[in-house]
Amino acid sequence: MRVAAPGSLVSLTFLPNEDVAARIAAASAVRAAGFVPVPHIAARRLASPEELEHYLEALVSRAGVDRVFVIAGDVATIKGPYPDALSVLRSSLLNKYKIAQVGISGYPTGHPKIPDGVLWQAMRDKLAILADMGHRAWIMTQFGFEATAILDWLARSRLEGNNVPVCIGVAGPSSVRSLLHFAALCGVETSAKVVAKYGLSIGKLLGSVGPDAILKDLASGLNVPMHGPTAIHFYPFGGLGSLGRWIEEFRRSSEVEVVSRLSAR
């Protein structure tokens, strides 16, 4: 069973219990396996400019990295001089190590700790500095369950002049218990409407749920001239094996049109 085709992008999160060395090793392993590593740079986890420079140098020299995803990182205590993603982008170190493509975060359903106005302005500022420095930018969104909210956010983003590709975050197949856990951990809203539509019932904790419904809703509502270039980014909360099996089954089914519409570039 093939989880992903050779050459596929593999996002490498910066987990709270891991350090820079672990992320370098993971990126090297992904490259050796025939995939393209996309390491996360979590600004608040970096203790110094020297640590960021060591991280970038090792990613480039050992794993051939030419694209990264820069986030603030949800930690209670900021370890060094980078309080947010914008401060990393302004450091110019990504240019020094010839990082061609840089991803930033998007929050179609908001962030529990950051006002919407601040989120929108941060996205404008990050896209502006990436353009000024000559990086190719893209946006990867937090996962969500409301297709309408995601499409509305995309439409507003495009009206503001943002024309970079957006990877829409979607939770892969998972147990209901795991999905609710990660939704709470990431501050993703699970309203009564969402619970009813996607079966995230407390009474079904031992059951499982897949992304079929939200993908169909996204595909049916997607208007490329309005919503711009999009793709899907899967969060494999149920494990890579489960995600790979689900993807193969989805591709074999009659939903090929859904996949193609959500990969409009």
Side-chain angles (χ1 to χ4, degrees), residues 211-234:
D212 307 61
I214 189 169
L215 288 179
K216 291 174 184 177
D217 286 351
L218 285 169
S220 64
L222 187 70
N223 180 315
V224 175
M226 178 189 297
H227 297 118
T230 61
I232 293 296
H233 172 80
F234 286 108

Side-chain angles (χ1 to χ4, degrees), residues 32 76 93 123 128 151 164 173 184 189 214 233 236 250 260:
L93 285 172
M123 189 169 72
L151 293 170
V164 306
E189 181 182 358
I214 189 169
H233 172 80
F250 199 74
S260 64

Side-chain angles (χ1 to χ4, degrees), residues 83-101:
D84 50 31
L86 193 59
S87 60
V88 170
L89 302 182
R90 285 175 172 155
S91 74
S92 298
L93 285 172
L94 299 182
N95 264 2
K96 179 178 178 178
Y97 288 94
K98 296 180 171 55
I99 301 298
Q101 299 187 40

